[in-house]
């Protein structure tokens, strides 16, 4: 996965922070078309990779292959269900409970489990409060990666 040249130093900093154990939750943000999802995607693959090469995923281990195929057992995606009747997609409480249960399970392949919210703005107040509880005291080896296009639209919770 090739980053834009201007993203390399940000990615290196994030990968280094992960290796140093500096975070259990990460909020990334960048305007639409900023390339922020690209950095986040590479970071997730790096974290899940079982054969890391300094700050790079190997792209060849079973973990990297499963990630590329959108089928990694240690990656949990939390996003609003696609519903054409809804004008504003929302992540509801009934999606949070299974996620919390998954967070407390043992890792399958990788050293960490990742709970990824590509659009944090989809959380409603109740689901944000429920997620906050597990964010405050996360299970061992569980990382939360949250992404927003506009930091000002993220709920204060």
């Amino acid at each position: 996965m090739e980053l834009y040249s201007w993203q390399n130093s940000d990615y290196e900093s994030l990968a280094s922070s992960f290796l140093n154990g500096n975070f259990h939750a990460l909020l990334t943000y960048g305007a639409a078309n900023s390339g922020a999802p690209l950095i986040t995607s590479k970071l997730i693959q790096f974290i899940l990779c079982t054969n890391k090469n300094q700050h790079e995923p190997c792209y060849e281990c079973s973990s990297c292959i499963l990630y590329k195929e959108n089928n990694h057992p240690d990656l949990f995606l939390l996003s609003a269900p696609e519903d054409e009747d809804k004008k504003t997609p929302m992540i509801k409480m009934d999606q949070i409970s299974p996620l919390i249960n998954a967070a407390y399970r043992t890792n399958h392949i990788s050293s960490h489990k990742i709970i990824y919210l590509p659009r944090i703005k989809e959380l409603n107040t109740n689901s944000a409060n429920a997620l906050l509880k597990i964010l405050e005291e996360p299970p061992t080896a569980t990382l939360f990666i949250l992404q927003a296009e506009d930091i000002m639209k993220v709920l204060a919770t």
Side-chain angles (χ1 to χ4, degrees), residues 17-133:
S17 288
F18 163 73
L19 291 173
N20 292 327
N22 291 341
F23 63 85
H24 72 270
L26 178 68
L27 172 60
T28 64
Y29 62 95
N33 301 318
S34 69
L38 192 59
I39 291 176
T40 304
S41 180
K42 184 172 181 178
L43 180 65
I44 290 171
Q45 185 169 10
F46 171 70
I47 292 168
L48 294 174
C49 180
T50 57
N51 194 23
K52 296 171 184 55
N53 182 11
Q54 293 184 336
H55 291 139
E56 293 291 321
C58 74
Y59 301 106
E60 297 174 354
C61 68
S62 60
S63 187
C64 284
I65 292 167
L66 286 167
Y67 176 78
K68 188 171 77 173
E69 294 174 352
N70 296 317
N71 199 22
H72 200 290
D74 294 324
L75 176 62
F76 303 94
L77 176 68
L78 180 60
S79 62
E82 293 185 24
D83 186 353
E84 294 175 14
D85 296 337
K86 294 276 185 180
K87 292 181 182 175
T88 306
M90 284 289 165
I91 296 171
K92 298 188 175 131
M93 282 296 294
D94 62 346
Q95 292 175 263
I96 302 294
S97 294
L99 179 87
I100 290 171
N101 292 336
Y104 282 100
R105 287 191 215 126
T106 305
N107 309 2
H108 290 277
I109 299 171
S110 301
S111 63
H112 289 78
K113 292 180 295 297
I114 297 176
I115 297 174
Y116 175 47
L117 283 84
R119 292 172 302 279
I120 195 170
K121 70 180 181 182
E122 293 177 346
L123 288 169
N124 64 28
T125 303
N126 291 336
S127 59
N129 285 330
L131 187 64
L132 181 62
K133 290 178 183 175

Side-chain angles (χ1 to χ4, degrees), residues 24-26 128 130-139 144-146:
H24 72 270
L26 178 68
L131 187 64
L132 181 62
K133 290 178 183 175
I134 192 170
L135 270 169
E136 289 173 339
E137 295 181 32
F144 293 84
I145 298 181
L146 318 170

